[in-house]
Amino acid sequence: MIIYDTRFNANEWFVLGGFLVGIGLVLFLPKRFSMQRTILYYMCGVYSGFFFDHSLSVEPVSYYDVNDTSDYELMDFLSYFAYGAVGYLFFYVFDKLRVRMPYVPVYILAWSLASVGLEWISVRIGVFHYNYGYKLAYSFPIYLIVQTAWTMLFLRYGRGGAGRGAAGPDKAKNA
């Protein structure tokens, strides 16, 4: 007979807490975007986390494991939805602050540093386990690239992009 330990460890509590807090923020923050854009911005975080975790944490490279093992588990799945909340908050705060040039690079840098900080906490409590000499510093350029791409997406399509007015498509509905 196999007995499963149903108690959560620290890293599972962190992932579950991040998931619940993130979903709560997305649901309860004042609405700034249409439902379609909310889902798009949320999925930017989910996709980015999924893409890089599965590019860097699987064979043949396997630079890190997520949670306890290399196996895909429920907590791994939930962690991607926690990434989604971070992605949504990135866009939400960017729009709320109405970040303009030349402050866009400062915004990206601040979020990249915050992302490294969250990853550092994740490493400390056991969400990530680095292999083969991978270091936290290697994640920083990845965050810079991803968040720069997100910003370009938002500036092109979310705020005054594609021939729409300077207020963007969602401002009139959600102002």
Side-chain angles (χ1 to χ4, degrees), residues 99-114:
V99 178
R100 303 279 184 225
M101 289 295 189
Y103 302 106
V104 168
V106 174
Y107 185 80
I108 293 168
L109 180 63
W111 271 86
S112 295
L113 290 170

Side-chain angles (χ1 to χ4, degrees), residues 68-85:
D68 296 332
T69 68
S70 293
D71 297 330
Y72 191 75
E73 301 170 327
L74 174 63
M75 286 299 154
D76 299 334
F77 179 75
L78 289 180
S79 71
Y80 298 125
F81 285 91
Y83 293 149

Side-chain angles (χ1 to χ4, degrees), residues 42-112:
Y42 189 88
M43 291 308 294
C44 281
V46 172
Y47 173 77
S48 297
F50 188 83
F51 176 80
F52 283 102
D53 279 356
H54 286 272
S55 296
L56 298 172
S57 70
V58 296
E59 296 296 337
V61 291
S62 191
Y63 287 123
Y64 59 85
D65 292 325
V66 179
N67 290 316
D68 296 332
T69 68
S70 293
D71 297 330
Y72 191 75
E73 301 170 327
L74 174 63
M75 286 299 154
D76 299 334
F77 179 75
L78 289 180
S79 71
Y80 298 125
F81 285 91
Y83 293 149
V86 172
Y88 176 77
L89 290 173
F90 177 89
F91 292 107
Y92 187 94
V93 173
F94 188 87
D95 187 60
K96 177 83 172 160
L97 295 177
R98 300 177 188 256
V99 178
R100 303 279 184 225
M101 289 295 189
Y103 302 106
V104 168
V106 174
Y107 185 80
I108 293 168
L109 180 63
W111 271 86
S112 295

